[in-house]
Amino acid sequence: MRRPWRILAVALTACALLHLSANCVHAEANYTYERITPETFDYVRYANDNPDLLSAYGYDKSKLYQHYQTAGKAEGRLAHTLPYKPGRIAVFDYLGDESYYFDAKRYADDNPDLKAVFGYDKVALWNHYKTRGIQEGRTAYGTSYNVDAKLKVFDTAASITNDSMSERDKIKAVHDWIINHTQYDKANYDKGTIPDDSYSIAGVMLNGKAVCSGYATTFDYFMYVLGIEHEQVSGEATNSKGIPGDHSWNRVLLGNQWYYVDCTWDDPVSSDGKDVLRYTYFLISNEQISKDHVAEEIYKTY
């Protein structure tokens, strides 16, 4: 099933851009949602990762889940969610209507053979696309820029990663692609005229310009598509001049540890206008990122 999602109520506008100075280390923020539920709980891995619990409860899902909720979290035990990778038809769904954003007219116009059979019948065209069209390599479009941007994420993920790659290598491929294909929207940032697209996946995937929440949300959606356990973080970051500002970044779960990624700060605005790709904020620990990032919310978008 599709993961639950939410949108930040207030857009993050003050994303600091330059290399930072270290201060104190801050504790992790509290979750704004329940990550592990009976539906998402990978109880087999929880048992295997904790031999004492495996000995006591075997693979009894109910007992293992009860242990995690009543004792495991407080003891610092880590639980994982069940592996999940969405199909590309997920981008068209809205509130359970799987074809809500499907552009049936364009699909028909782009495929005269289908138009001759189905006309503009959205139900018939959708059924064809999801049962045969995808396998036949036919292209479908959405009725919004964000849907088309998400479809491009699926296409890009398929082109820059493969099943033989480790999760770390896949994360690096995404990190590098986003930075190499995106410029921080500094002109609009400086004028206070940041367009909505720059806060979104469309900013990165369709326009090549974004601010921090656009970078972070796009990275987050790539992880969703690749089936890598991920979360988005919002809070405050302090730049090298000691100026704090609202910011958004990411974290991923590799093995049994959370690692943090900040694509925005690994794509600094250079004085000579040249593109820069660095790894200062690539898969670093909570202790490392907390020197200049203070997390306030950890949440699921996808």
Side-chain angles (χ1 to χ4, degrees):
M1 69 177 182
R2 189 177 178 183
R3 303 289 184 104
W5 60 276
R6 63 185 293 273
I7 301 173
L8 285 176
V10 179
L12 299 171
T13 58
C15 301
L17 303 173
L18 304 178
H19 188 38
L20 313 174
S21 58
N23 293 307
C24 58
V25 175
H26 301 272
E28 286 193 66
N30 291 325
Y31 288 113
T32 60
Y33 72 103
E34 184 58 59
R35 184 174 67 92
I36 302 297
T37 68
E39 292 76 26
T40 65
F41 181 48
D42 189 343
Y43 67 95
V44 173
R45 181 163 186 175
Y46 189 64
N48 290 338
D49 285 347
N50 297 278
D52 57 325
L53 302 183
L54 180 60
S55 177
Y57 306 125
Y59 292 110
D60 187 311
K61 179 179 178 179
S62 178
K63 290 181 179 178
L64 290 166
Y65 180 74
Q66 183 179 19
H67 176 275
Y68 174 70
Q69 291 294 342
T70 59
K73 284 192 287 187
E75 293 169 359
R77 301 188 195 237
L78 180 67
H80 294 255
T81 59
L82 291 167
Y84 175 78
K85 288 180 68 173
R88 64 185 293 120
I89 64 170
V91 304
F92 299 105
D93 181 85
Y94 179 67
L95 298 179
D97 181 349
E98 64 179 4
S99 65
Y100 186 87
Y101 289 114
F102 175 62
D103 192 337
K105 184 178 186 302
R106 185 167 181 179
Y107 189 63
D109 289 340
D110 287 349
N111 297 276
D113 58 324
L114 302 183
K115 184 177 180 180
V117 176
F118 304 121
Y120 291 117
D121 185 322
K122 182 177 181 179
V123 173
L125 291 164
W126 172 251
N127 285 333
H128 178 275
Y129 174 69
K130 71 175 184 177
T131 59
R132 295 180 57 188
I134 295 175
Q135 288 72 25
E136 293 171 357
R138 300 187 193 240
T139 301
Y141 295 90
T143 55
S144 78
Y145 287 124
N146 272 328
V147 172
D148 289 339
K150 290 174 182 178
L151 286 168
K152 189 174 179 181
V153 171
F154 274 90
D155 294 336
T156 302
S159 70
I160 65 175
T161 68
N162 58 67
D163 291 340
S164 68
M165 295 170 67
S166 67
E167 287 194 339
R168 181 186 179 89
D169 287 341
K170 291 177 182 179
I171 295 166
K172 180 179 180 296
V174 171
H175 169 274
D176 293 0
W177 190 93
I178 289 174
I179 291 171
N180 287 333
H181 291 81
T182 311
Q183 291 184 333
Y184 190 87
D185 194 357
K186 189 172 185 300
N188 281 308
Y189 172 84
D190 289 343
K191 293 185 293 185
T193 57
I194 301 171
D196 289 345
D197 280 359
S198 289
Y199 295 110
S200 72
I201 298 173
V204 173
M205 302 306 298
L206 302 182
N207 304 331
K209 288 188 177 182
V211 292
C212 62
S213 58
Y215 280 82
T217 303
T218 303
F219 180 89
D220 192 67
Y221 197 74
F222 265 102
M223 295 302 102
Y224 170 67
V225 168
L226 292 170
I228 297 172
E229 193 161 356
H230 60 284
E231 294 176 333
Q232 198 163 333
V233 187
S234 66
E236 186 176 83
T238 303
N239 67 16
S240 57
K241 297 179 181 179
I243 301 173
D246 293 339
H247 194 49
S248 184
W249 60 100
N250 305 90
R251 70 180 193 170
V252 292
L253 187 59
L254 291 179
N256 288 318
Q257 185 171 337
W258 286 106
Y259 293 93
Y260 292 77
V261 177
D262 189 338
C263 290
T264 310
W265 280 23
D266 274 347
D267 187 18
V269 176
S270 59
S271 58
D272 58 7
K274 292 183 178 179
D275 290 335
V276 178
L277 167 63
R278 64 183 186 182
Y279 298 95
T280 307
Y281 295 91
F282 176 69
L283 295 181
I284 62 176
S285 68
N286 178 60
E287 181 179 4
Q288 289 171 303
I289 202 164
S290 292
K291 293 175 182 178
D292 41 46
H293 290 52
V294 181
E296 295 172 355
E297 284 189 299
I298 300 174
Y299 58 92
K300 293 294 286 184
T301 305
Y302 300 101

